[in-house]
Amino acid sequence: MPLTDNQLFTFHELGWVVVKRVLDQATVRKIKEEIADAHERFARPDAPQIPNVSCSWEPHVPKDQPKKIEQLMGGQIISPTLNQVLRRTDVLDMVEQILGPEIELFHSKFLMKAPNVGSGKFPWHQDYGYWHFSEKVPAQLNCAFAIDDQTIENGCLHYVPGSHKDGLREHLNFKAESFAWGLSTDFKAFKAVPVEYEAGDICFFGSLVIHGSEPNNTQSSATFNTTAYCVPTSHGDPAFKYETLRTRTEKWGAALA
């Protein structure tokens, strides 16, 4: 399922593109089952300490209510199904069309917008506003897997069309637990487009496109996963390497086989 010329044009022109029905509903259900108890599991005093897995908590939950995860880093570690999905040939083929044949796994995280608590208000930001501290070039690509439908009502991401073409803007430090860096917390600060898509769809977006979201104002969760891919030449420290998912040598070897 390669990206079409129109999809590639949309990505490079706007900064994002939605691809429909990449995951079947059985796969979506399995991912949801694997993370269903994450809030309770990681909130326990004896919560397991899992290498490369960390949580930041939704700040708007009242203190007399159970804690809710806002962001869970290391999503592929707690969801074996997601770990398989982000490595799938069809997914990496699309990533390669944008990044090229050298692909590494930068990170994978769940954004778990809980219902009823105003969860998931993300300030306007560029992801490279966080990543430029360790990455020398903005050669990263987000793949947002919709685990729940992403709608305006439940706080889908809004993107500012073409904003990636202007490079990195100066970010402010909001001193929050998870989304600490941003351009503004005023949701009217930019003329943005809400991007709705269904569970099983994905949205590719680059590390320089400005995006943010309003809270989940529904009675249901609005979870999605963003898996970020990168290239080896993007790192500030050339000795540091992320997990390699695809190499040029592998591509050539497959072509010659």
Side-chain angles (χ1 to χ4, degrees):
M1 179 179 15
L3 296 172
T4 67
D5 289 343
N6 283 340
Q7 287 172 321
L8 285 169
F9 175 82
T10 297
F11 174 82
H12 290 297
E13 188 66 19
L14 297 182
W16 76 88
V17 66
V18 171
V19 185
K20 303 292 291 182
R21 293 180 290 279
V22 176
L23 309 183
D24 60 35
Q25 293 308 300
T27 300
V28 172
R29 285 195 299 271
K30 197 167 182 181
I31 294 172
K32 293 182 78 166
E33 290 169 1
E34 291 168 351
I35 65 173
D37 68 342
H39 298 290
E40 295 78 13
R41 189 190 342 166
F42 290 100
R44 294 198 311 259
D46 62 343
Q49 299 297 310
I50 304 174
N52 301 314
V53 173
S54 62
C55 299
S56 54
W57 297 92
E58 174 54 57
H60 299 102
V61 175
K63 291 185 177 180
D64 61 345
Q65 295 185 17
K67 295 169 65 176
K68 296 293 183 182
I69 296 170
E70 180 179 54
Q71 180 175 259
L72 194 159
M73 298 296 298
Q76 82 284 8
I77 298 172
I78 68 163
S79 172
T81 302
L82 175 71
N83 192 41
Q84 294 173 353
V85 164
L86 63 85
R87 303 164 189 277
R88 272 177 20 184
T89 298
D90 60 332
V91 173
L92 292 181
D93 283 348
M94 290 185 282
V95 173
E96 180 174 334
Q97 287 180 272
I98 297 172
L99 288 185
E102 302 279 333
I103 303 171
E104 295 181 338
L105 176 60
F106 189 57
H107 68 227
S108 181
K109 65 183 179 183
F110 283 105
L111 284 306
M112 308 179 97
K113 292 190 167 198
N116 303 320
V117 292
S119 176
K121 182 177 174 61
F122 303 151
W124 295 112
H125 66 282
Q126 298 164 292
D127 286 338
Y128 195 57
Y130 292 75
W131 301 341
H132 77 282
F133 296 109
S134 61
E135 303 298 296
K136 62 182 180 181
V137 290
Q140 302 84 27
L141 175 67
N142 279 300
C143 179
F145 297 95
I147 310 304
D148 296 307
D149 291 350
Q150 301 296 302
T151 68
I152 293 173
E153 292 75 21
N154 69 19
C156 68
L157 288 176
H158 291 54
Y159 301 89
V160 180
S163 54
H164 60 297
K165 299 179 181 180
D166 297 327
L168 180 64
R169 302 191 186 196
E170 183 177 357
H171 282 55
L172 304 173
N173 189 338
F174 297 136
K175 303 186 184 303
E177 184 177 356
S178 53
F179 288 89
W181 295 92
L183 301 170
S184 175
T185 57
D186 177 5
F187 209 72
K188 297 180 180 179
F190 294 95
K191 293 181 179 179
V193 176
V195 177
E196 298 182 292
Y197 53 108
E198 299 172 307
D201 299 344
I202 64 175
C203 180
F204 287 114
F205 62 100
S207 61
L208 285 175
V209 66
I210 296 171
H211 58 289
S213 72
E214 293 199 278
N216 175 12
N217 292 315
T218 72
Q219 302 300 307
S220 302
S221 64
T223 297
F224 62 103
N225 168 273
T226 56
T227 293
Y229 301 92
C230 63
V231 300
T233 55
S234 68
H235 314 317
D237 181 355
F240 187 82
K241 294 184 181 298
Y242 295 90
E243 181 185 354
T244 299
L245 300 181
R246 181 172 286 185
T247 69
R248 190 182 304 269
T249 302
E250 289 172 347
K251 195 72 174 180
W252 286 349
L256 294 172

